[in-house]
Amino acid sequence: MEKFDTTVIGSGPGGYVAAIRCAQLGLKTAIIERHHKLGGTCLNVGCIPSKALLDSSEHFNNAKRYFETHGINAEKLELNWPRMRQRKDDVVGQTCEGIQYLMKKNKITVLTGHATFKDAQTIIVNGEAGAEQTVNTERVIIATGSKPSSIPGVVCDKKRVITSTEALSLEKVPEKLIVIGGGVVGLELGSVYNRLGSVVQVVEYLDRLIPGMDLSLGKEVQRFLKKQGMEFFLSRTVQSASVKGKSVTVVATNKNGEKVEFSGDYCLVAVGRRPYSDNLGLDDIGIALDEQGRIPVNEHLETAIPGIYAIGDVIAGAMLAHKAEEEGVFVAETMVGQKPHINYKSIPEVLYTWPEAAGVGFTEDELKAENYNYTAGNFPFKALGRARVSMDTDGFVKVLADKDTDEILGIHMVGARAADLIAEAVVALEYRASAEDIARMSHAHPTYAEAIKEAMLDATGKRSLHI
Ligand code: FAD
Ligand code: NAI
């Protein structure tokens, strides 16, 4: 029986990054993954395939709607959906192979099978055809991620009532897609099919979209997605989804308690994800889950059992790949006695529609709720030369700063390439920059990033230059 310093369970962005950092720090490391392909949700059925389809569908949409304006005649434009899907699968395949290569390069032992704790330092790995391996380990990092969740009355048959996983690989483009949930999954995958010609209706429980992000972003996103053809039904509580042949009927109630029905050929259930801690044998080693099924950890991300850590979607906090990665590095460095830190308030959130939406730091709602003395600066994309050049004039940048000290508290934006622009906001927050600091820094012209500088100028004495 081989003995490892550290064994990581799960090879998503939390697990594989933790394993690499452990190996870099000189720990003899193993990683256990129940699937043959490494990379977890993110690489196989999450971030990577969804962004691949978002990119392809955006090319199709641009060709259809905007090429003519640019002076490009693309005649007989046709969608080749099997090819689009294949390209997505190719990207996923290459990315997963890349992780396999990284494991080899860092001399990490990869074990395939479902991991279960026998005791705190012994893990049983159940592979295919009854194959069983026993792993002896000093420490463990649990990085088992999450699974799509559903709501009462809605059973995902994975054929017509589907989760994000099936939505990434549908045989045909839906004629009408009903999306339950106006969060990130619903809007990103809803966008994909809207661009490819489906009628997309989003049924959302709350009175706003993307509830985790600043309210102003949800409003702007709803405005431009509506312009793009998506339909929104807010403040609707879904009661049931039923399948008859090739048709799905979703029944919801509105604010007045009246019944409303939606029907389509597919229904995407996108109401959040639940931590995946099934059949890990946690009970047997004395780790109790919290009321939401997450593994409780302390400030070192260590569970109730010394030497067993947990990271990523399976613990509390945002279910984001980059949050899981930060935690993976944090735990590896903690294990060898280093003193790393994670500033959870500086972890950005991004919505990859087009234009994109991104935010980091405090939202305006949070500051209002605390009666915080803040000031806000805004700048619209339509006043940017760069945005006019590309016809990407939707959106804005909003900065929230402390009224007394001018320290930046939050930055929220909707606009072209917001997913990349938010990196500047993260640096500003991490270094506790003031709005004046950023306002005085040169931003290349013409770029979308100029909107950030202009919003800072607006926050510091209403002195934006281009509006
Ligand atoms: P996971 O990636 O879920 O990996 C966990 C792994 O553990 C899995 O491979 C699983 O098979 C394995 N496992 C579980 N139990 C066991 C066991 N007992 N034994 C062995 N192996 C086990 N996040 C972003 O930041 N940006 C995005 O753009 C983004 N897009 C997304 C799009 C979609 C459609 C979805 C569904 C999610 C998206 N996410 C995105 C979220 C992101 O995928 C997750 O936050 C991230 O994958 C979590 O990483 P993790 O390492 O905690 O777990
Ligand atoms: P989500 O939490 O973002 O959105 C779920 C939505 O469903 C919410 O708006 C909620 O109000 C709504 N809802 C809940 N119950 C409902 C009901 N009964 N009827 C109607 N609406 C209901 O969850 P989502 O979109 O499923 O994403 C899961 C996770 O995956 C997220 O936590 C996210 O962090 C991650 N993810 C991240 C992406 C990114 O970073 N770009 C992309 C996709 C997923």
Side-chain angles (χ1 to χ4, degrees):
M1 189 166 50
E2 213 174 341
K3 177 146 189 184
F4 295 93
D5 296 323
T6 307
T7 300
V8 181
I9 306 177
S11 71
Y16 83 74
V17 166
I20 293 172
R21 190 71 188 117
C22 285
Q24 285 176 344
L25 293 165
L27 301 173
K28 187 177 173 191
T29 306
I31 188 162
I32 308 171
E33 171 55 58
R34 58 204 299 276
H35 293 299
H36 283 284
K37 281 205 313 208
L38 302 180
T41 304
C42 175
L43 272 63
N44 289 285
V45 289
C47 327
I48 298 299
S50 59
K51 267 82 249 180
L53 288 182
L54 277 157
D55 268 336
S56 295
S57 59
E58 184 58 11
H59 283 308
F60 182 64
N61 183 59
N62 285 339
K64 209 165 50 172
R65 290 173 190 241
Y66 305 117
F67 271 20
E68 214 185 317
T69 321
H70 283 279
I72 304 165
N73 293 330
E75 278 165 22
K76 292 194 186 150
L77 189 71
E78 263 181 18
L79 172 67
N80 182 343
W81 173 236
R83 178 76 203 103
M84 196 178 277
R85 250 180 15 214
Q86 186 56 49
R87 190 197 77 92
K88 177 258 307 174
D89 291 341
D90 293 345
V91 173
V92 168
Q94 287 155 12
T95 316
C96 292
E97 275 167 29
I99 306 300
Q100 198 80 45
Y101 160 78
L102 290 174
M103 296 300 105
K104 205 168 158 194
K105 181 187 162 206
N106 287 285
K107 300 186 175 54
I108 295 161
T109 302
V110 177
L111 302 165
T112 307
H114 184 98
T116 316
F117 281 98
K118 188 173 173 203
D119 59 51
Q121 294 189 322
T122 315
I123 298 169
I124 308 294
V125 185
N126 289 106
E128 270 174 5
E132 192 180 287
Q133 278 173 282
T134 302
V135 176
N136 204 277
T137 187
E138 198 66 37
R139 304 183 202 89
V140 182
I141 302 174
I142 305 172
T144 50
S146 63
K147 291 259 167 207
S149 56
S150 191
I151 47 174
V154 177
V155 178
C156 295
D157 66 0
K158 300 193 177 180
K159 291 189 177 77
R160 293 283 157 185
V161 183
I162 57 177
T163 71
S164 54
T165 303
E166 295 77 49
L168 291 165
S169 297
L170 287 178
E171 275 300 306
K172 63 187 268 286
V173 172
E175 276 168 32
K176 192 167 168 204
L177 176 67
I178 310 299
V179 179
I180 307 179
V184 265
V185 167
L187 299 189
E188 289 186 3
L189 295 181
S191 267
V192 166
Y193 288 111
N194 177 54
R195 293 166 188 171
L196 299 182
S198 309
V199 172
V200 177
Q201 295 187 325
V202 178
V203 187
E204 164 61 46
Y205 170 72
L206 297 173
D207 60 357
R208 59 189 285 187
L209 300 176
I210 43 169
M213 299 177 89
D214 193 271
L215 180 60
S216 61
L217 303 196
K219 283 186 181 159
E220 179 69 359
V221 166
Q222 184 177 350
R223 191 190 64 74
F224 70 70
L225 287 182
K226 209 170 148 196
K227 207 167 70 178
Q228 292 170 18
M230 283 173 69
E231 296 171 36
F232 295 98
F233 300 87
L234 304 185
S235 304
R236 304 291 198 285
T237 310
V238 171
Q239 308 287 349
S240 65
S242 52
V243 183
K244 207 171 188 185
K246 291 183 177 174
S247 164
V248 189
T249 304
V250 173
V251 178
T253 44
N254 65 16
K255 264 196 256 177
N256 305 324
E258 295 152 353
K259 248 190 193 178
V260 266
E261 271 191 21
F262 304 87
S263 61
D265 46 344
Y266 288 94
C267 166
L268 166 61
V269 183
V271 293
R273 295 178 63 84
R274 63 175 175 84
Y276 185 46
S277 46
D278 302 358
N279 305 322
L280 257 178
L282 293 177
D283 272 355
D284 300 337
I285 56 167
I287 296 179
L289 302 176
D290 72 10
E291 66 289 347
Q292 290 177 51
R294 302 174 298 200
I295 300 177
V297 288
N298 64 16
E299 70 275 23
H300 304 296
L301 305 184
E302 197 170 24
T303 66
I305 307 299
I308 301 185
Y309 298 79
I311 60 172
D313 282 10
V314 80
I315 66 169
M319 288 184 165
L320 294 171
H322 43 286
K323 178 254 192 189
E325 288 185 23
E326 291 306 324
E327 291 178 338
V329 170
F330 176 95
V331 163
E333 294 179 352
T334 301
M335 280 177 173
V336 296
Q338 296 184 5
K339 302 262 180 293
H341 89 285
I342 300 177
N343 179 358
Y344 283 97
K345 230 27 205 172
S346 303
I347 292 182
E349 285 188 48
V350 175
L351 172 77
Y352 294 84
T353 47
W354 194 264
E356 296 165 334
V360 65
F362 289 95
T363 63
E364 198 160 359
D365 292 344
E366 286 171 332
L367 296 180
K368 277 182 184 157
E370 286 186 23
N371 273 328
Y372 203 99
N373 193 17
Y374 70 95
T375 179
N378 282 279
F379 192 78
F381 265 51
K382 65 172 182 277
L384 273 186
R386 182 67 186 89
R388 279 197 306 278
V389 164
S390 62
M391 301 197 307
D392 282 312
T393 49
D394 282 325
F396 57 83
V397 172
K398 173 167 91 172
V399 56
L400 306 167
D402 187 298
K403 201 157 193 169
D404 300 322
T405 65
D406 194 34
E407 180 176 346
I408 297 169
L409 303 167
I411 302 181
H412 307 279
M413 55 179 86
V414 173
R417 301 194 195 158
D420 295 295
L421 294 179
I422 201 69
E424 180 178 1
V426 173
V427 174
L429 275 184
E430 276 291 351
Y431 283 88
R432 302 193 60 180
S434 65
E436 182 72 26
D437 287 333
I438 307 295
R440 290 197 172 272
M441 287 176 190
S442 172
H443 287 65
H445 175 75
T447 59
Y448 302 110
E450 287 172 284
I452 298 179
K453 179 185 170 98
E454 291 275 5
M456 300 291 169
L457 286 167
D458 188 49
T460 50
K462 302 292 164 208
R463 54 196 172 109
S464 296
L465 297 164
H466 290 90
I467 197 157

